[in-house]
PDB file of all heavy atoms in Angstrom:
ATOM      1  N   GLU W 136     -30.908  -2.442  55.278  1.00 95.00           N
ATOM      2  CA  GLU W 136     -30.036  -1.735  56.156  1.00 95.00           C
ATOM      3  C   GLU W 136     -30.387  -0.320  56.331  1.00 95.00           C
ATOM      4  O   GLU W 136     -29.837   0.363  57.239  1.00 95.00           O
ATOM      5  CB  GLU W 136     -28.478  -1.874  55.668  1.00 95.00           C
ATOM      6  CG  GLU W 136     -28.083  -3.323  55.646  1.00 95.00           C
ATOM      7  CD  GLU W 136     -26.606  -3.501  55.056  1.00 95.00           C
ATOM      8  OE1 GLU W 136     -25.699  -2.932  55.502  1.00 95.00           O
ATOM      9  OE2 GLU W 136     -26.620  -4.109  53.875  1.00 95.00           O
ATOM     10  N   TRP W 165     -25.338  -0.161  36.593  1.00 97.00           N
ATOM     11  CA  TRP W 165     -23.972   0.068  36.133  1.00 97.00           C
ATOM     12  C   TRP W 165     -23.816   1.643  36.054  1.00 97.00           C
ATOM     13  O   TRP W 165     -22.602   2.022  36.148  1.00 97.00           O
ATOM     14  CB  TRP W 165     -23.562  -0.616  34.748  1.00 97.00           C
ATOM     15  CG  TRP W 165     -23.513  -2.147  34.894  1.00 97.00           C
ATOM     16  CD1 TRP W 165     -23.471  -2.841  36.054  1.00 97.00           C
ATOM     17  CD2 TRP W 165     -23.644  -2.954  33.763  1.00 97.00           C
ATOM     18  NE1 TRP W 165     -23.483  -4.018  35.832  1.00 97.00           N
ATOM     19  CE2 TRP W 165     -23.518  -4.318  34.403  1.00 97.00           C
ATOM     20  CE3 TRP W 165     -23.747  -2.966  32.469  1.00 97.00           C
ATOM     21  CZ2 TRP W 165     -23.645  -5.544  33.674  1.00 97.00           C
ATOM     22  CZ3 TRP W 165     -23.640  -4.084  31.774  1.00 97.00           C
ATOM     23  CH2 TRP W 165     -23.667  -5.446  32.429  1.00 97.00           C
ATOM     24  N   GLY W 169     -25.718   1.954  41.719  1.00 96.00           N
ATOM     25  CA  GLY W 169     -25.065   0.646  41.843  1.00 96.00           C
ATOM     26  C   GLY W 169     -25.621  -0.021  43.046  1.00 96.00           C
ATOM     27  O   GLY W 169     -25.347  -1.255  43.153  1.00 96.00           O
ATOM     28  N   ARG W 174     -30.634 -10.825  41.182  1.00 98.00           N
ATOM     29  CA  ARG W 174     -29.949 -12.009  40.760  1.00 98.00           C
ATOM     30  C   ARG W 174     -29.892 -12.114  39.297  1.00 98.00           C
ATOM     31  O   ARG W 174     -30.912 -11.771  38.622  1.00 98.00           O
ATOM     32  CB  ARG W 174     -30.352 -13.268  41.400  1.00 98.00           C
ATOM     33  CG  ARG W 174     -30.238 -13.389  42.857  1.00 98.00           C
ATOM     34  CD  ARG W 174     -30.645 -14.793  43.268  1.00 98.00           C
ATOM     35  NE  ARG W 174     -30.489 -15.060  44.685  1.00 98.00           N
ATOM     36  CZ  ARG W 174     -31.576 -15.078  45.566  1.00 98.00           C
ATOM     37  NH1 ARG W 174     -32.673 -14.630  45.132  1.00 98.00           N
ATOM     38  NH2 ARG W 174     -31.369 -15.261  46.902  1.00 98.00           N
ATOM     39  N   SER W 176     -27.613 -14.496  35.866  1.00 98.00           N
ATOM     40  CA  SER W 176     -26.519 -15.150  35.327  1.00 98.00           C
ATOM     41  C   SER W 176     -26.475 -15.309  33.936  1.00 98.00           C
ATOM     42  O   SER W 176     -25.824 -14.605  33.193  1.00 98.00           O
ATOM     43  CB  SER W 176     -26.268 -16.648  36.183  1.00 98.00           C
ATOM     44  OG  SER W 176     -25.037 -16.979  35.879  1.00 98.00           O
ATOM     45  N   CYS W 182     -31.003 -20.306  33.373  1.00 98.00           N
ATOM     46  CA  CYS W 182     -30.533 -20.478  34.710  1.00 98.00           C
ATOM     47  C   CYS W 182     -31.544 -20.373  35.790  1.00 98.00           C
ATOM     48  O   CYS W 182     -31.467 -20.873  36.898  1.00 98.00           O
ATOM     49  CB  CYS W 182     -29.231 -19.705  35.007  1.00 98.00           C
ATOM     50  SG  CYS W 182     -29.623 -17.971  35.382  1.00 98.00           S
ATOM     51  N   CYS W 197     -34.572 -11.570  31.761  1.00 98.00           N
ATOM     52  CA  CYS W 197     -33.764 -11.716  30.624  1.00 98.00           C
ATOM     53  C   CYS W 197     -34.545 -12.271  29.411  1.00 98.00           C
ATOM     54  O   CYS W 197     -34.055 -12.472  28.413  1.00 98.00           O
ATOM     55  CB  CYS W 197     -32.527 -12.612  30.928  1.00 98.00           C
ATOM     56  SG  CYS W 197     -33.071 -14.407  31.337  1.00 98.00           S
ATOM     57  N   LYS W 198     -35.805 -12.526  29.560  1.00 98.00           N
ATOM     58  CA  LYS W 198     -36.541 -13.257  28.587  1.00 98.00           C
ATOM     59  C   LYS W 198     -37.793 -12.431  28.177  1.00 98.00           C
ATOM     60  O   LYS W 198     -38.662 -12.970  27.436  1.00 98.00           O
ATOM     61  CB  LYS W 198     -37.130 -14.597  29.064  1.00 98.00           C
ATOM     62  CG  LYS W 198     -36.785 -15.686  28.147  1.00 98.00           C
ATOM     63  CD  LYS W 198     -37.391 -17.068  28.273  1.00 98.00           C
ATOM     64  CE  LYS W 198     -37.683 -17.705  26.999  1.00 98.00           C
ATOM     65  NZ  LYS W 198     -38.269 -19.143  27.232  1.00 98.00           N
ATOM     66  N   LYS W 220     -33.552  -8.052  49.681  1.00 98.00           N
ATOM     67  CA  LYS W 220     -33.040  -6.683  49.160  1.00 98.00           C
ATOM     68  C   LYS W 220     -33.664  -6.376  47.780  1.00 98.00           C
ATOM     69  O   LYS W 220     -33.373  -7.305  46.956  1.00 98.00           O
ATOM     70  CB  LYS W 220     -31.518  -6.645  49.285  1.00 98.00           C
ATOM     71  CG  LYS W 220     -30.957  -5.257  48.917  1.00 98.00           C
ATOM     72  CD  LYS W 220     -29.483  -5.489  48.900  1.00 98.00           C
ATOM     73  CE  LYS W 220     -28.820  -4.039  48.658  1.00 98.00           C
ATOM     74  NZ  LYS W 220     -27.295  -4.271  48.592  1.00 98.00           N
ATOM     75  N   PRO W 238     -36.898 -35.401  44.675  1.00 98.00           N
ATOM     76  CA  PRO W 238     -36.715 -35.030  43.267  1.00 98.00           C
ATOM     77  C   PRO W 238     -35.560 -35.691  42.795  1.00 98.00           C
ATOM     78  O   PRO W 238     -34.564 -34.980  42.428  1.00 98.00           O
ATOM     79  CB  PRO W 238     -36.613 -33.590  43.345  1.00 98.00           C
ATOM     80  CG  PRO W 238     -36.016 -33.209  44.584  1.00 98.00           C
ATOM     81  CD  PRO W 238     -36.537 -34.220  45.642  1.00 98.00           C
ATOM     82  N   ASP W 249     -25.153 -51.568  30.287  1.00 97.00           N
ATOM     83  CA  ASP W 249     -25.241 -50.514  29.460  1.00 97.00           C
ATOM     84  C   ASP W 249     -26.446 -49.633  30.040  1.00 97.00           C
ATOM     85  O   ASP W 249     -26.648 -49.554  31.166  1.00 97.00           O
ATOM     86  CB  ASP W 249     -25.341 -50.942  28.044  1.00 97.00           C
ATOM     87  CG  ASP W 249     -26.649 -51.855  27.832  1.00 97.00           C
ATOM     88  OD1 ASP W 249     -27.229 -52.274  28.817  1.00 97.00           O
ATOM     89  OD2 ASP W 249     -26.882 -52.179  26.705  1.00 97.00           O
ATOM     90  N   GLU W 250     -27.234 -48.929  29.153  1.00 98.00           N
ATOM     91  CA  GLU W 250     -28.222 -48.067  29.617  1.00 98.00           C
ATOM     92  C   GLU W 250     -29.497 -48.938  29.954  1.00 98.00           C
ATOM     93  O   GLU W 250     -29.726 -50.068  29.315  1.00 98.00           O
ATOM     94  CB  GLU W 250     -28.584 -46.878  28.570  1.00 98.00           C
ATOM     95  CG  GLU W 250     -29.101 -47.475  27.308  1.00 98.00           C
ATOM     96  CD  GLU W 250     -28.183 -47.480  26.162  1.00 98.00           C
ATOM     97  OE1 GLU W 250     -27.220 -48.460  26.313  1.00 98.00           O
ATOM     98  OE2 GLU W 250     -28.234 -46.979  25.164  1.00 98.00           O
ATOM     99  N   ARG W 251     -30.400 -48.267  30.899  1.00 98.00           N
ATOM    100  CA  ARG W 251     -31.617 -48.935  31.039  1.00 98.00           C
ATOM    101  C   ARG W 251     -32.459 -48.503  29.766  1.00 98.00           C
ATOM    102  O   ARG W 251     -32.320 -47.324  29.313  1.00 98.00           O
ATOM    103  CB  ARG W 251     -32.482 -48.237  32.217  1.00 98.00           C
ATOM    104  CG  ARG W 251     -31.780 -48.760  33.539  1.00 98.00           C
ATOM    105  CD  ARG W 251     -32.771 -48.308  34.614  1.00 98.00           C
ATOM    106  NE  ARG W 251     -32.262 -48.839  35.928  1.00 98.00           N
ATOM    107  CZ  ARG W 251     -31.614 -48.182  36.950  1.00 98.00           C
ATOM    108  NH1 ARG W 251     -31.337 -46.891  36.792  1.00 98.00           N
ATOM    109  NH2 ARG W 251     -31.264 -48.718  38.041  1.00 98.00           N
ATOM    110  N   THR W 265     -39.452 -32.089  32.345  1.00 98.00           N
ATOM    111  CA  THR W 265     -38.087 -32.001  32.554  1.00 98.00           C
ATOM    112  C   THR W 265     -37.464 -30.636  32.268  1.00 98.00           C
ATOM    113  O   THR W 265     -36.313 -30.415  32.471  1.00 98.00           O
ATOM    114  CB  THR W 265     -37.280 -33.018  31.612  1.00 98.00           C
ATOM    115  OG1 THR W 265     -37.466 -32.633  30.234  1.00 98.00           O
ATOM    116  CG2 THR W 265     -37.700 -34.447  31.840  1.00 98.00           C
ATOM    117  N   LYS W 266     -38.316 -29.774  31.700  1.00 98.00           N
ATOM    118  CA  LYS W 266     -37.711 -28.363  31.423  1.00 98.00           C
ATOM    119  C   LYS W 266     -37.610 -27.471  32.540  1.00 98.00           C
ATOM    120  O   LYS W 266     -37.059 -26.260  32.294  1.00 98.00           O
ATOM    121  CB  LYS W 266     -38.748 -27.819  30.374  1.00 98.00           C
ATOM    122  CG  LYS W 266     -38.696 -28.478  29.002  1.00 98.00           C
ATOM    123  CD  LYS W 266     -39.520 -27.728  27.934  1.00 98.00           C
ATOM    124  CE  LYS W 266     -40.377 -28.543  27.124  1.00 98.00           C
ATOM    125  NZ  LYS W 266     -41.627 -27.812  26.661  1.00 98.00           N
ATOM    126  N   ARG W 297     -42.118 -35.288  37.041  1.00 98.00           N
ATOM    127  CA  ARG W 297     -40.996 -35.511  36.074  1.00 98.00           C
ATOM    128  C   ARG W 297     -40.499 -37.017  36.603  1.00 98.00           C
ATOM    129  O   ARG W 297     -40.048 -37.840  35.638  1.00 98.00           O
ATOM    130  CB  ARG W 297     -39.850 -34.651  36.197  1.00 98.00           C
ATOM    131  CG  ARG W 297     -38.569 -34.979  35.480  1.00 98.00           C
ATOM    132  CD  ARG W 297     -37.495 -35.299  36.454  1.00 98.00           C
ATOM    133  NE  ARG W 297     -36.425 -36.028  35.820  1.00 98.00           N
ATOM    134  CZ  ARG W 297     -36.366 -37.192  35.382  1.00 98.00           C
ATOM    135  NH1 ARG W 297     -37.241 -38.071  35.650  1.00 98.00           N
ATOM    136  NH2 ARG W 297     -35.260 -37.703  34.763  1.00 98.00           N
ATOM    137  N   ARG W 303     -38.643 -45.568  34.450  1.00 98.00           N
ATOM    138  CA  ARG W 303     -37.448 -46.189  35.054  1.00 98.00           C
ATOM    139  C   ARG W 303     -37.531 -46.026  36.727  1.00 98.00           C
ATOM    140  O   ARG W 303     -36.745 -46.548  37.388  1.00 98.00           O
ATOM    141  CB  ARG W 303     -36.160 -45.497  34.722  1.00 98.00           C
ATOM    142  CG  ARG W 303     -35.941 -45.605  33.184  1.00 98.00           C
ATOM    143  CD  ARG W 303     -34.721 -44.775  32.659  1.00 98.00           C
ATOM    144  NE  ARG W 303     -35.039 -43.363  33.022  1.00 98.00           N
ATOM    145  CZ  ARG W 303     -34.206 -42.320  32.907  1.00 98.00           C
ATOM    146  NH1 ARG W 303     -32.909 -42.588  32.518  1.00 98.00           N
ATOM    147  NH2 ARG W 303     -34.583 -41.041  33.036  1.00 98.00           N
TER     148      ARG W 303
ATOM    149  N   ARG M  95     -28.229 -22.880  38.934  1.00 98.00           N
ATOM    150  CA  ARG M  95     -28.011 -21.741  38.121  1.00 98.00           C
ATOM    151  C   ARG M  95     -26.705 -21.674  37.466  1.00 98.00           C
ATOM    152  O   ARG M  95     -26.422 -20.792  36.666  1.00 98.00           O
ATOM    153  CB  ARG M  95     -28.006 -20.456  38.988  1.00 98.00           C
ATOM    154  CG  ARG M  95     -29.184 -20.391  40.055  1.00 98.00           C
ATOM    155  CD  ARG M  95     -30.427 -20.039  39.484  1.00 98.00           C
ATOM    156  NE  ARG M  95     -31.509 -19.882  40.531  1.00 98.00           N
ATOM    157  CZ  ARG M  95     -32.744 -20.468  40.553  1.00 98.00           C
ATOM    158  NH1 ARG M  95     -32.985 -21.348  39.548  1.00 98.00           N
ATOM    159  NH2 ARG M  95     -33.571 -20.274  41.469  1.00 98.00           N
ATOM    160  N   ASN M 111     -24.591 -46.377  19.247  1.00 98.00           N
ATOM    161  CA  ASN M 111     -26.005 -46.830  19.274  1.00 98.00           C
ATOM    162  C   ASN M 111     -26.580 -46.565  17.873  1.00 98.00           C
ATOM    163  O   ASN M 111     -27.785 -47.096  17.634  1.00 98.00           O
ATOM    164  CB  ASN M 111     -26.745 -45.894  20.244  1.00 98.00           C
ATOM    165  CG  ASN M 111     -26.665 -46.495  21.620  1.00 98.00           C
ATOM    166  OD1 ASN M 111     -25.817 -47.501  22.009  1.00 98.00           O
ATOM    167  ND2 ASN M 111     -27.169 -45.759  22.634  1.00 98.00           N
ATOM    168  N   GLU M 152     -27.145 -42.130  32.933  1.00 98.00           N
ATOM    169  CA  GLU M 152     -28.419 -42.664  32.566  1.00 98.00           C
ATOM    170  C   GLU M 152     -28.950 -43.399  33.785  1.00 98.00           C
ATOM    171  O   GLU M 152     -30.189 -43.162  34.134  1.00 98.00           O
ATOM    172  CB  GLU M 152     -28.365 -43.575  31.345  1.00 98.00           C
ATOM    173  CG  GLU M 152     -29.681 -43.755  30.692  1.00 98.00           C
ATOM    174  CD  GLU M 152     -30.474 -44.924  31.369  1.00 98.00           C
ATOM    175  OE1 GLU M 152     -29.892 -45.751  32.084  1.00 98.00           O
ATOM    176  OE2 GLU M 152     -31.629 -44.845  31.372  1.00 98.00           O
ATOM    177  N   HIS M 153     -28.137 -44.109  34.450  1.00 98.00           N
ATOM    178  CA  HIS M 153     -28.595 -44.794  35.726  1.00 98.00           C
ATOM    179  C   HIS M 153     -29.022 -43.835  36.758  1.00 98.00           C
ATOM    180  O   HIS M 153     -29.941 -44.102  37.571  1.00 98.00           O
ATOM    181  CB  HIS M 153     -27.621 -45.798  36.081  1.00 98.00           C
ATOM    182  CG  HIS M 153     -27.153 -46.873  35.094  1.00 98.00           C
ATOM    183  ND1 HIS M 153     -25.895 -47.478  35.220  1.00 98.00           N
ATOM    184  CD2 HIS M 153     -27.982 -47.328  34.103  1.00 98.00           C
ATOM    185  CE1 HIS M 153     -25.941 -48.353  34.140  1.00 98.00           C
ATOM    186  NE2 HIS M 153     -27.039 -48.286  33.495  1.00 98.00           N
ATOM    187  N   GLY M 155     -30.615 -41.179  36.205  1.00 98.00           N
ATOM    188  CA  GLY M 155     -31.911 -40.788  35.832  1.00 98.00           C
ATOM    189  C   GLY M 155     -31.894 -39.746  34.680  1.00 98.00           C
ATOM    190  O   GLY M 155     -32.838 -39.167  34.312  1.00 98.00           O
ATOM    191  N   ARG M 160     -34.266 -41.006  23.056  1.00 98.00           N
ATOM    192  CA  ARG M 160     -34.189 -42.414  22.880  1.00 98.00           C
ATOM    193  C   ARG M 160     -34.281 -42.780  21.300  1.00 98.00           C
ATOM    194  O   ARG M 160     -35.058 -42.064  20.636  1.00 98.00           O
ATOM    195  CB  ARG M 160     -35.285 -43.180  23.522  1.00 98.00           C
ATOM    196  CG  ARG M 160     -35.174 -42.890  25.118  1.00 98.00           C
ATOM    197  CD  ARG M 160     -34.040 -43.667  25.740  1.00 98.00           C
ATOM    198  NE  ARG M 160     -33.746 -43.290  27.155  1.00 98.00           N
ATOM    199  CZ  ARG M 160     -33.145 -43.997  28.023  1.00 98.00           C
ATOM    200  NH1 ARG M 160     -32.676 -45.151  27.481  1.00 98.00           N
ATOM    201  NH2 ARG M 160     -32.893 -43.634  29.274  1.00 98.00           N
ATOM    202  N   ILE M 166     -30.023 -44.838  24.071  1.00 98.00           N
ATOM    203  CA  ILE M 166     -29.669 -43.504  24.131  1.00 98.00           C
ATOM    204  C   ILE M 166     -29.472 -42.985  22.649  1.00 98.00           C
ATOM    205  O   ILE M 166     -28.725 -43.633  21.793  1.00 98.00           O
ATOM    206  CB  ILE M 166     -28.480 -43.109  25.014  1.00 98.00           C
ATOM    207  CG1 ILE M 166     -28.581 -43.592  26.452  1.00 98.00           C
ATOM    208  CG2 ILE M 166     -27.971 -41.724  24.747  1.00 98.00           C
ATOM    209  CD1 ILE M 166     -27.368 -43.518  27.307  1.00 98.00           C
ATOM    210  N   HIS M 195     -28.620 -28.818  30.723  1.00 98.00           N
ATOM    211  CA  HIS M 195     -29.686 -28.662  31.738  1.00 98.00           C
ATOM    212  C   HIS M 195     -29.947 -29.930  32.404  1.00 98.00           C
ATOM    213  O   HIS M 195     -30.072 -30.078  33.692  1.00 98.00           O
ATOM    214  CB  HIS M 195     -30.960 -27.985  31.034  1.00 98.00           C
ATOM    215  CG  HIS M 195     -32.202 -28.138  31.953  1.00 98.00           C
ATOM    216  ND1 HIS M 195     -32.462 -27.232  33.061  1.00 98.00           N
ATOM    217  CD2 HIS M 195     -33.247 -28.955  31.791  1.00 98.00           C
ATOM    218  CE1 HIS M 195     -33.604 -27.512  33.470  1.00 98.00           C
ATOM    219  NE2 HIS M 195     -34.169 -28.664  32.888  1.00 98.00           N
ATOM    220  N   GLN M 203     -29.906 -33.388  41.712  1.00 98.00           N
ATOM    221  CA  GLN M 203     -30.845 -34.446  42.272  1.00 98.00           C
ATOM    222  C   GLN M 203     -30.101 -35.411  42.984  1.00 98.00           C
ATOM    223  O   GLN M 203     -30.446 -35.809  44.188  1.00 98.00           O
ATOM    224  CB  GLN M 203     -31.712 -34.976  41.047  1.00 98.00           C
ATOM    225  CG  GLN M 203     -32.696 -34.085  40.395  1.00 98.00           C
ATOM    226  CD  GLN M 203     -33.088 -34.584  39.069  1.00 98.00           C
ATOM    227  OE1 GLN M 203     -32.792 -35.655  38.627  1.00 98.00           O
ATOM    228  NE2 GLN M 203     -33.871 -33.679  38.318  1.00 98.00           N
ATOM    229  N   GLU M 215     -24.553 -19.410  47.387  1.00 98.00           N
ATOM    230  CA  GLU M 215     -24.350 -17.898  47.431  1.00 98.00           C
ATOM    231  C   GLU M 215     -23.252 -17.470  48.416  1.00 98.00           C
ATOM    232  O   GLU M 215     -23.335 -16.546  49.270  1.00 98.00           O
ATOM    233  CB  GLU M 215     -25.632 -17.128  47.632  1.00 98.00           C
ATOM    234  CG  GLU M 215     -26.549 -17.480  46.584  1.00 98.00           C
ATOM    235  CD  GLU M 215     -27.855 -16.714  46.398  1.00 98.00           C
ATOM    236  OE1 GLU M 215     -28.432 -16.344  47.341  1.00 98.00           O
ATOM    237  OE2 GLU M 215     -28.144 -16.281  45.261  1.00 98.00           O
ATOM    238  N   HIS M 267     -23.028 -13.669  32.919  1.00 98.00           N
ATOM    239  CA  HIS M 267     -22.525 -12.592  33.645  1.00 98.00           C
ATOM    240  C   HIS M 267     -21.518 -13.056  34.723  1.00 98.00           C
ATOM    241  O   HIS M 267     -20.585 -12.410  35.117  1.00 98.00           O
ATOM    242  CB  HIS M 267     -23.583 -11.805  34.288  1.00 98.00           C
ATOM    243  CG  HIS M 267     -24.358 -10.941  33.315  1.00 98.00           C
ATOM    244  ND1 HIS M 267     -23.750  -9.886  32.604  1.00 98.00           N
ATOM    245  CD2 HIS M 267     -25.564 -10.983  32.850  1.00 98.00           C
ATOM    246  CE1 HIS M 267     -24.691  -9.448  31.807  1.00 98.00           C
ATOM    247  NE2 HIS M 267     -25.759  -9.931  32.004  1.00 98.00           N
ATOM    248  N   THR M 268     -21.768 -14.326  35.221  1.00 98.00           N
ATOM    249  CA  THR M 268     -21.037 -14.823  36.345  1.00 98.00           C
ATOM    250  C   THR M 268     -19.737 -15.508  36.004  1.00 98.00           C
ATOM    251  O   THR M 268     -19.021 -15.975  36.897  1.00 98.00           O
ATOM    252  CB  THR M 268     -21.915 -15.730  37.172  1.00 98.00           C
ATOM    253  OG1 THR M 268     -22.594 -16.586  36.369  1.00 98.00           O
ATOM    254  CG2 THR M 268     -22.892 -14.833  38.040  1.00 98.00           C
ATOM    255  N   GLU M 398     -35.981 -27.456  20.257  1.00 91.00           N
ATOM    256  CA  GLU M 398     -37.000 -26.773  20.933  1.00 91.00           C
ATOM    257  C   GLU M 398     -36.664 -25.407  21.481  1.00 91.00           C
ATOM    258  O   GLU M 398     -37.217 -24.222  21.292  1.00 91.00           O
ATOM    259  CB  GLU M 398     -37.555 -27.525  22.047  1.00 91.00           C
ATOM    260  CG  GLU M 398     -39.101 -27.442  22.314  1.00 91.00           C
ATOM    261  CD  GLU M 398     -39.401 -28.492  23.375  1.00 91.00           C
ATOM    262  OE1 GLU M 398     -38.776 -29.496  23.655  1.00 91.00           O
ATOM    263  OE2 GLU M 398     -40.451 -28.245  24.058  1.00 91.00           O
ATOM    264  N   ASP M 402     -37.007 -21.423  20.645  1.00 95.00           N
ATOM    265  CA  ASP M 402     -37.638 -20.527  21.684  1.00 95.00           C
ATOM    266  C   ASP M 402     -36.737 -19.202  21.646  1.00 95.00           C
ATOM    267  O   ASP M 402     -37.248 -18.093  21.695  1.00 95.00           O
ATOM    268  CB  ASP M 402     -37.678 -21.283  22.997  1.00 95.00           C
ATOM    269  CG  ASP M 402     -38.347 -20.277  24.125  1.00 95.00           C
ATOM    270  OD1 ASP M 402     -39.341 -19.625  23.811  1.00 95.00           O
ATOM    271  OD2 ASP M 402     -37.787 -20.596  25.165  1.00 95.00           O
ATOM    272  N   TYR M 407     -35.814 -13.584  21.115  1.00 97.00           N
ATOM    273  CA  TYR M 407     -34.892 -12.596  20.975  1.00 97.00           C
ATOM    274  C   TYR M 407     -34.759 -12.012  19.474  1.00 97.00           C
ATOM    275  O   TYR M 407     -34.280 -10.983  19.381  1.00 97.00           O
ATOM    276  CB  TYR M 407     -33.500 -13.065  21.395  1.00 97.00           C
ATOM    277  CG  TYR M 407     -33.451 -13.521  22.935  1.00 97.00           C
ATOM    278  CD1 TYR M 407     -33.360 -14.854  23.240  1.00 97.00           C
ATOM    279  CD2 TYR M 407     -33.641 -12.561  23.846  1.00 97.00           C
ATOM    280  CE1 TYR M 407     -33.353 -15.156  24.510  1.00 97.00           C
ATOM    281  CE2 TYR M 407     -33.686 -12.890  25.217  1.00 97.00           C
ATOM    282  CZ  TYR M 407     -33.576 -14.223  25.520  1.00 97.00           C
ATOM    283  OH  TYR M 407     -33.615 -14.598  26.851  1.00 97.00           O
ATOM    284  N   GLN M 566     -21.290   2.683  44.523  1.00 93.00           N
ATOM    285  CA  GLN M 566     -22.223   3.323  45.414  1.00 93.00           C
ATOM    286  C   GLN M 566     -22.604   2.387  46.659  1.00 93.00           C
ATOM    287  O   GLN M 566     -22.742   2.989  47.765  1.00 93.00           O
ATOM    288  CB  GLN M 566     -23.474   3.815  44.653  1.00 93.00           C
ATOM    289  CG  GLN M 566     -23.242   4.959  43.869  1.00 93.00           C
ATOM    290  CD  GLN M 566     -24.171   4.857  42.571  1.00 93.00           C
ATOM    291  OE1 GLN M 566     -24.295   3.819  41.984  1.00 93.00           O
ATOM    292  NE2 GLN M 566     -24.656   5.958  42.344  1.00 93.00           N
ATOM    293  N   ASP M 567     -22.663   1.193  46.368  1.00 95.00           N
ATOM    294  CA  ASP M 567     -23.168   0.320  47.528  1.00 95.00           C
ATOM    295  C   ASP M 567     -22.153   0.042  48.688  1.00 95.00           C
ATOM    296  O   ASP M 567     -21.195  -0.674  48.344  1.00 95.00           O
ATOM    297  CB  ASP M 567     -23.622  -1.056  46.927  1.00 95.00           C
ATOM    298  CG  ASP M 567     -24.588  -1.718  47.812  1.00 95.00           C
ATOM    299  OD1 ASP M 567     -24.595  -1.388  48.995  1.00 95.00           O
ATOM    300  OD2 ASP M 567     -25.498  -2.563  47.353  1.00 95.00           O
ATOM    301  N   GLN M 571     -25.385  -6.470  52.756  1.00 97.00           N
ATOM    302  CA  GLN M 571     -26.172  -7.561  52.288  1.00 97.00           C
ATOM    303  C   GLN M 571     -26.302  -7.524  50.721  1.00 97.00           C
ATOM    304  O   GLN M 571     -26.587  -6.387  50.218  1.00 97.00           O
ATOM    305  CB  GLN M 571     -27.546  -7.366  52.842  1.00 97.00           C
ATOM    306  CG  GLN M 571     -27.577  -7.360  54.399  1.00 97.00           C
ATOM    307  CD  GLN M 571     -28.895  -7.534  54.996  1.00 97.00           C
ATOM    308  OE1 GLN M 571     -29.821  -7.875  54.465  1.00 97.00           O
ATOM    309  NE2 GLN M 571     -28.912  -7.178  56.395  1.00 97.00           N
TER     310      GLN M 571
END
Side-chain angles (χ1 to χ4, degrees):
Chain W
E136 292 171 73
W165 295 344
R174 292 189 179 99
S176 187
C182 75
C197 65
K198 227 188 151 180
K220 182 182 180 186
D249 56 358
E250 66 264 62
R251 291 192 172 103
T265 63
K266 291 186 219 157
R297 179 252 169 273
R303 301 168 298 171
Chain M
R95 314 290 184 227
N111 281 358
E152 196 282 330
H153 299 156
R160 300 290 170 157
I166 295 170
H195 165 77
Q203 291 156 3
E215 303 196 313
H267 286 293
T268 46
E398 218 179 336
D402 187 33
Y407 300 110
Q566 291 147 312
D567 200 338
Q571 302 189 17

